[in-house]
Amino acid sequence: MLDIPQEGKIRGHQRAPSDSKEFHEVTKRDALRLLENEVDRLLQTTEPARRPALQAEMGRFADLFGRFLQEEGPALDWNKIQKLPENAVMNYSNLKAPKNEQIRSMLDKLVVIKLNGGLGTSMGCHGPKSVIPVRSDLTFLDLTVQQIEHLNKTYDANVPLVLMNSFNTDEDTEKIVRKYKGFRVQIHTFNQSCFPRISREHFLPVAKDFDVEKDMEAWYPPGHGDFYDTFRNSGLLKKFIDEGREYCFLSNIDNLGATVDLNILNKLVGEERASTPFEFVMEVTDKTRADVKGGTLIQMENKLRLLEIAQVPKEHVDDFKSVKTFKFFNTNNIWANLAAIDRVLRERTLNMEIIVNNKTLENGLRVIQLETAVGAAMKCFDGAIGINVPRSRFLPVKKSSDLLLVMSNLYTLKNGSLVMSPQRMFPTTPLVKLGENHFSKVKEFLGRFANIPDIIELDHLTVSGDVTFGRGVSLRGTVIIIANHGDRIDIPAGAILENKIVSGNMRILDH
């Protein structure tokens, strides 16, 4: 957690000794007052018609900042963590499939929400991440629309799709959504908040005015925990409750495994529904060594809650990463009761831990952005539960190594969903590491493969340096290919590499 600025950084009362509690309280009050004044000044730079809506948004920002000043630190009291109760995490294999004739009425109680605020910049793409082609020229958004249209057609249902955009993705997404007009899917969009980044030095917004377009770097979307407030403020929460819908299924748009699961839905609204409803369900999956930084479930103060690595005291980080101590990690696939969301917002009992994200802008300015995570709201709901789902429900595409998996023959595409090939002998996906310098950008990554290799029997692949792959290459077992600086390796067409280490220099020249 950041130090509160000492005297000299913030003008104001300095009567108390600078190390006293009273001094810190006064300094915090001054910091909040100065920030509120600056936010008011920013609001005056916008046209009067926009001010009321922006004022409410900036009020939420000031609340978040005030809470940030009050928090002593991100770490929780490690000794207060309790053992997970027996029934805290349900096993997916114990869930029952619904009867066919009930599926339509169950689906009519559901809304699907995709978190669509991210850009494709980390993969070298412009615009929203959701429009990157991932399979057969279909984008994340295409696949999502196909999945829901298939559900609606198969069961004569009307499941709506809602996209939570950010100011970064809203305009582009609105244009793209028009192409789905003839599809059997109602698509709604709303925008998450747009908050000003705060200077690390003097704790004031770095924005000079409210023209976001003019200085995009001065603003940020405050994490997916912002979903609850902005979903309600968009009017969609009320609309769906009035329609008789009961649950939303919320997930990241880049998680290709996050499809509507009828067995889970049956547990929530079907024949298997519990006598006391589960207001909040978090899908978790078994933690592997690749997931040691992912959030996990804990019991604390007799409530189930999400624990993120940022909240772990330094001396317990190794315990947190242990696969034995914490068996599950959060997939960020969440099912939440709409009436319960409405209640916690009305009663103002929504309380999510603040994530402090330190950034350095292109001009060298050090800033902080305050964020919250959607899963952290778990402790605010009654009857929260985890469901331990198969790994196939967690298939995020964050890097080109993930793209290699989803584009390969490991999966077949069926109605917008990726299904693992029955030829794969193990339920887990191979571990793939591709060198940052040559493979991190999508365009460059695609240029290095004549076509994607056969990886049905692959366990582990590491590629580093200037490496290209010919057509029809097959990779099996553990394959490590390393081209040292200045060297280049061309894997020839039709090559079969099984449990091989390839290094040095290998050029295949056309004659």
Side-chain angles (χ1 to χ4, degrees), residues 490-505:
D490 294 332
I491 303 296
I496 297 172
L497 298 180
E498 184 167 1
N499 296 324
K500 286 274 186 291
I501 297 176
V502 180
S503 66
N505 208 359

Side-chain angles (χ1 to χ4, degrees), residues 28-46:
K28 285 175 188 175
R29 276 203 302 276
D30 279 355
L32 185 57
R33 183 173 55 76
L34 284 170
L35 178 106
E36 286 172 339
N37 290 346
E38 186 59 18
V39 165
D40 282 343
R41 189 195 65 72
L42 282 175
L43 283 167
Q44 296 313 310
T45 67
T46 188

